[in-house]
Amino acid sequence: MNPIRVVLVDDHPVFRDGLRAALEGVADVEVVGEGADGEEAVSLALALQPDMILLDLAMPTMTGLDAMRRLRELTPDVRVLVLTMAEDADSLAAAMRAGARGYLLKGIDREGVLRAIRACVEGELIVGAGLSDQLAMLFAPSVTQRARPFAGLTDREHDVLELLAGGMTNLAIARRLFLSDKTVRNHVSTIMAKLGVSSRHEAGDLARAAGAKPGRSH
C-alpha cells in the first residue's frame, strides 16, 4: 500500500519543522512538500498532487480559507486537514464551508494527528477533541450569540475590525491601539479567516453591515 502523501503549510517554520519531525518514520505517511502561505499551498497541490494538505488558517499573502476555496476548484481530490489555534465556532464553520475535511487544534498530540490524517483519507469528517461545544453551536446557536455579531472574535480582534471598518490602514490601526504593524497584520488575517472573507474590504463591509461604529475602539 502506498503511503499517504502529505503537504505541510504553515507560516511558522518551527511549528512546521516539529510537525514534519512527528510524521517522519511513519510507514504509511510521507511528507512530500512544505509551504508557508496559501499561495504555496495551491502551487504545491497542483505540482505534487498530494493526498492531503495540513493547513493553517491565519497566514500572510493568502489565508488558509482562500487557499481551500482555490483547492476545491483546482484540485478537488486533495483533502484538507486544518491545524489551527482558532477554537471558535465561526472559524470552524468557515473552514468547513471552504471544504476542510478535518479541523484540529495545534495542541493535539502526534497520535491524534496521525489518526485524523488516516480517517480523512478514508473519507471521514474529523473535528478535534475539545471542539464539541463549538460544533454544537453551528447547529443550535444561543440567543446571546445570535444577538452579538462575530461572537467568535476576541475583544482585541473586535477593536481591530471596527477600525478596519472605518478605512484605517494597518499602520494607523497599530498606532491607535499601540501595537506593532506585524501584530495588526496577524489580527487582520485571523479576522478574515474567522469571518470567512477573502479581503479586508469584505471584512469591513460585514462589520459595517452588522452595525460597527467605524473608528471606535474599546
Side-chain angles (χ1 to χ4, degrees):
M1 180 179 175
N2 293 328
I4 301 167
R5 302 173 71 252
V6 173
V7 167
L8 311 178
V9 182
D10 193 290
D11 61 326
H12 293 94
V14 173
F15 178 80
R16 214 167 54 236
D17 290 346
L19 186 56
R20 184 184 64 248
L23 299 178
E24 284 179 350
V26 179
D28 62 338
V29 175
E30 178 187 5
V31 176
V32 297
E34 295 183 38
D37 59 44
E39 286 187 351
E40 291 186 1
V42 175
S43 297
L44 289 166
L46 291 170
L48 301 174
Q49 293 296 311
D51 299 303
M52 176 171 293
I53 296 180
L54 271 60
L55 183 71
D56 192 10
L57 289 182
M59 295 185 293
T61 309
M62 180 187 286
T63 68
L65 288 173
D66 289 336
M68 280 189 280
R69 296 183 186 108
R70 293 290 290 152
L71 291 166
R72 188 167 55 186
E73 293 175 6
L74 300 174
T75 57
D77 293 333
V78 177
R79 293 172 173 82
V80 175
L81 176 60
V82 171
L83 268 173
T84 179
M85 296 293 291
E87 53 185 312
D88 59 281
D90 290 341
S91 295
L92 174 59
M96 293 305 176
R97 285 196 301 268
R101 298 300 303 170
Y103 193 100
L104 304 177
L105 299 180
K106 284 187 174 181
I108 193 169
D109 61 19
R110 175 177 181 267
E111 291 307 314
V113 173
L114 288 172
R115 283 195 299 271
I117 289 173
R118 292 162 182 153
C120 283
V121 165
E122 292 299 319
E124 295 183 37
L125 183 65
I126 301 298
V127 176
L131 291 167
S132 56
D133 289 344
Q134 289 84 338
L135 188 61
M137 288 178 189
L138 303 186
F139 300 100
S142 68
V143 173
T144 300
Q145 288 168 324
R146 288 197 298 270
R148 183 191 181 198
F150 318 128
L153 301 185
T154 66
D155 288 343
R156 179 56 81 195
E157 287 163 358
H158 274 287
D159 292 342
V160 172
L161 179 59
E162 288 175 351
L163 297 175
L164 185 156
M168 294 180 70
T169 65
N170 286 352
L171 183 58
I173 294 171
R175 288 173 176 167
R176 172 73 69 87
L177 299 178
F178 303 101
L179 300 171
S180 71
D181 187 42
K182 183 177 188 300
T183 297
V184 172
R185 288 199 306 271
N186 289 338
H187 280 314
V188 171
S189 294
T190 301
I191 289 166
M192 289 166 53
K194 288 183 177 183
L195 299 186
V197 299
S198 58
S199 73
R200 58 187 289 123
H201 300 295
E202 288 183 59
D205 289 343
L206 278 178
R208 287 188 292 273
K213 296 177 175 58
R216 182 174 65 87
S217 64
H218 301 298

